[in-house]
Amino acid sequence: MHAPEDSTASAGTAHRTYDALVIGGGIIGLVTAWRAAQRGLRTAIADPAPGGGAAQVAAGMLAAVTELHYGEETLLGLNRTSAHRYPAFTAELEEASGQDTGYRACGTLAVALDADDRAHLRELHALQLRYGLDSQWLSGRECRRLEPLLAPCVRGGLRVDGDHQTDPRRLAAALLAACERAGVVLHRAWAERLLVRRDRAAGAVLDDGTELAAGQVVLAGGSRSGRLAGVPDDVLPPVRPVKGQILRLRVPGRIAPFLSRTVRAVVRGGHVYLVPRENGELVLGATSEELGWDTTVTAGGVYELLRDAHELVPGITELPLVETRAGLRPGSPDNAPLLGPTALPGLHLATGHHRNGVLLTPVTGDAMAELLATGELPEEARPFTPLRFSPGGGPAPASGPASTNTPASDASVRQEQPA
Ligand code: GLY
């Protein structure tokens, strides 16, 4: 392995050469770089603030079963594979980084508040059972026995003991530390433009003037991945920003435990969830809005989240509200990630994780490192090839019905990108 002594490269360095350059230092870029470095590849990340991005906003639910949707069975397979890897992944990462990631095997309760919600949840339960998933129907009274602070109007729910949580902020910090310890070089600058030489991705030019040469490039820029200059139009990933507003409350020590597991519901068609951490943080999310690059926290967004969460757990209005934030999920046309080689030799994608970025972190790191080290994408990642969106190329969509949305391709990667 080729570990440089100083893992943070200085600005303006002319010409550095790597086996793998990862553009984007969110959790997907970090896990890709960490795993690649473990395979002995000289690896670098380009990002002005590695460890930032969507993970700073996300709640961290590992909700393979409770976030199941019709038509997404291929994605379900990948989600379950990654959920299954989480305990070992967490143990290895905590050992490698020396940091706690806040992984909590607490399970989830998804509840219904009215007759419509109940019908919706019954359908979800039938779908879960069809796929052999572990999910148990409970009456309203049984739900309240598990979580006594639930509202009296809760009409029933699903107990899913396998949908856990992790703390995305701690996960990002641990991945960053693990990358540094593994010798990943951090270039703290934006990737301004992809370098293409002889019809092959050959590195990137950063906005501080540094030119990085690399045998392979991974574009892991979250919702900004479709905006990197120099990428041919037909190779640009069709990802778009999907805004999520989220709140953080604090459960004072004197009233803990408030909730013992993640509690979620669909209220008037929108998702609301409460994710209780062991340290007293209670994350309340999230809106889902197609508003382009806007990351404004709005009065309406906060109001709707609090209104719906109050219907679910009336006691939340007593808690201190400590943070409001909005971020951007990288949505793809079929809600599934884009993993693997593109039509441009040497350029790979690890993006488009939409609502499942935290959940899919372990399997994405494994798949991308395997690809970088051997040239082969593992079996479980192949349905997620970016080529499925190429004109006339690739297998059928990985999941769900196709929708439109191709982002603009005229700018370098610049917008803030959380959630
Ligand atoms: N997976 C939860 C969310 O995207 O809001």
Side-chain angles (χ1 to χ4, degrees):
M1 185 143 120
H2 319 266
E5 280 164 25
D6 177 1
S7 68
T8 297
S10 56
T13 315
H15 259 91
R16 302 280 295 261
T17 303
Y18 301 100
D19 298 320
L21 170 64
V22 181
I23 296 178
I27 50 175
I28 295 300
L30 289 170
V31 77
T32 297
W34 177 46
R35 290 306 200 193
Q38 285 180 318
R39 304 286 289 254
L41 301 178
R42 289 170 303 162
T43 305
I45 290 175
D47 191 307
Q56 296 302 313
V57 182
M61 289 180 298
L62 308 176
V65 177
T66 45
E67 284 206 6
L68 174 63
H69 294 285
Y70 276 102
E72 294 186 356
E73 57 273 15
T74 312
L75 178 58
L76 170 67
L78 193 71
N79 285 345
R80 291 184 77 198
T81 298
S82 206
H84 183 70
R85 291 183 192 176
Y86 240 99
F89 168 79
T90 297
E92 185 185 349
L93 177 59
E94 291 186 348
E95 171 75 24
S97 65
Q99 297 190 18
D100 179 50
T101 60
Y103 177 74
R104 191 175 172 201
C106 60
T108 295
L109 184 64
V111 303
L113 291 173
D114 61 21
D116 285 349
D117 297 341
R118 202 176 127 103
H120 173 93
L121 215 54
R122 282 282 192 197
E123 279 187 25
L124 174 62
H125 192 218
L127 188 63
Q128 291 167 338
L129 297 184
R130 196 179 315 153
Y131 291 126
L133 303 173
D134 189 7
S135 174
Q136 183 191 358
W137 183 265
L138 301 183
S139 68
R141 183 172 301 177
E142 288 168 327
C143 290
R144 279 186 294 280
R145 203 172 295 140
L146 277 184
E147 296 296 342
L149 295 186
L150 282 175
C153 63
V154 165
R155 305 275 292 260
L158 296 174
R159 177 176 176 164
V160 177
D161 286 342
D163 273 5
H164 303 312
Q165 60 155 298
T166 196
D167 184 335
R169 292 178 175 176
R170 291 192 196 182
L171 175 67
L175 282 168
L176 184 57
C179 278
E180 289 179 306
R181 287 185 176 188
V184 173
V185 178
L186 303 174
H187 289 273
R188 294 177 187 270
W190 293 109
E192 188 85 12
R193 183 166 50 84
L194 184 75
L195 280 173
V196 180
R197 298 223 165 95
R198 291 190 210 90
D199 293 328
R200 204 192 143 86
V205 181
L206 309 186
D207 66 357
D208 63 8
T210 306
E211 191 174 305
L212 305 176
Q216 301 179 81
V217 177
V218 178
L219 180 49
S223 54
R224 300 182 308 256
S225 300
R227 298 171 65 93
L228 180 64
V231 180
D233 281 351
D234 57 346
V235 173
L236 274 173
V239 291
R240 69 188 193 283
V242 180
K243 179 179 175 181
Q245 301 190 49
I246 207 159
L247 316 178
R248 281 176 164 80
L249 298 92
R250 180 146 297 283
V251 180
R254 67 188 153 75
I255 57 169
F258 190 79
L259 296 172
S260 65
R261 72 203 69 220
T262 297
V263 172
R264 54 184 302 149
V266 176
V267 184
R268 287 176 284 272
H271 292 270
V272 64
Y273 45 78
L274 292 153
V275 184
R277 305 236 193 274
E278 253 156 14
N279 64 7
E281 182 176 84
L282 183 67
V283 185
L284 198 178
T287 65
S288 185
E289 303 163 78
E290 302 272 356
L291 289 174
W293 302 102
D294 173 52
T295 52
T296 313
V297 175
T298 64
V302 174
Y303 165 71
E304 283 172 21
L305 287 172
L306 287 173
R307 179 197 62 198
D308 294 350
H310 178 253
E311 273 187 53
L312 193 60
V313 180
I316 58 130
T317 49
E318 305 296 321
L319 302 178
L321 173 62
V322 293
E323 187 182 333
T324 60
R325 192 144 173 191
L328 302 172
R329 305 174 184 90
S332 77
D334 60 8
N335 297 330
L338 291 85
L339 304 174
T342 66
L344 180 68
L347 179 66
H348 311 307
L349 299 183
T351 188
H353 291 70
H354 197 216
R355 300 183 70 92
N356 298 304
V358 180
L359 172 59
L360 291 174
T361 294
V363 78
T364 299
D366 294 346
M368 297 310 294
E370 181 74 11
L371 172 66
L372 288 165
T374 70
E376 292 289 327
L377 202 58
E379 186 70 35
E380 68 267 18
R382 286 186 201 154
F384 304 94
T385 167
L387 301 177
R388 71 188 189 273
F389 297 120
S390 302
S399 62
S403 65
T404 55
N405 239 327
T406 306
S409 59
D410 57 344
S412 58
V413 175
R414 269 188 190 277
Q415 276 75 13
E416 190 197 350
Q417 183 260 325

